[in-house]
Amino acid sequence: MDEAILKDIFMYGSYAPTHYMKEPWNINLYQEKGRVAFVDAIIASYQRIGMLKKDNDAKTVKVIDSMSSFLLEIPHHALIYFKKEAEAVRYEEDYAAVCAFIQNAQLAAWEYGVGMLWTITPYMHDAGFAADIGLDSNEVKIAAVMQIGYPQHVGRDKGRLPIEEKLKIITE
Ligand SMILES: Cc1cc2nc3c(=O)[nH]c(=O)nc-3n(C[C@H](O)[C@H](O)[C@H](O)COP(=O)(O)O)c2cc1C
């Protein structure tokens, strides 16, 4: 994918609301050969937290191979992180701004015909994974990993509940 398109997508993302203009989002974009060490770190994390076995049985090797191939078929992985704030309100503000950034980027991606799947997976909470990719989990919070590429097909519109079920109008 043209790098200029990805830059545009994240640029539009960055018009998200941000308290104190902190713009807390940071993006590590893994693509081409850059994905290999990233995917290795994911597999190592899944093994560490017990989602994948560590032995060399043929079955284990097969499961790991298929998981690696699946992840390496995704052209771009954007890991979104922000600096942790000790104070809860500040932390929430930054996480909220980062989430707005992510959704803005998704909407921009849609305009370019680019698919961007928001994922939250267990390795994001594994300090060893953060260390493997050069981040200190005491310092930063990984908010999401966006899986990016041109979609072979677009999923069905899942619809949403009628907004009346969520909306309470209070007039007095
Ligand atoms: C915080 C968050 C985490 C998500 N994590 C995943 C995920 O790990 N895997 C996945 O397939 N979709 C994930 N999604 C996407 C939702 O599954 C998706 O938005 C939902 O099914 C509605 O589909 P739609 O957005 O196409 O309408 C996540 C969405 C959010 C907001």
Side-chain angles (χ1 to χ4, degrees), residues 117-120 158 160:
L117 175 70
W118 190 334
T119 67
I120 287 192
K158 294 170 189 153
R160 295 294 189 266

Side-chain angles (χ1 to χ4, degrees), residues 39-57:
V39 169
D40 285 348
I42 293 173
I43 301 292
S45 173
Y46 283 155
Q47 287 180 317
R48 202 162 30 243
I49 61 186
M51 283 176 63
L52 288 175
K53 289 188 176 165
K54 286 184 179 168
D55 57 56
N56 283 322
D57 283 7

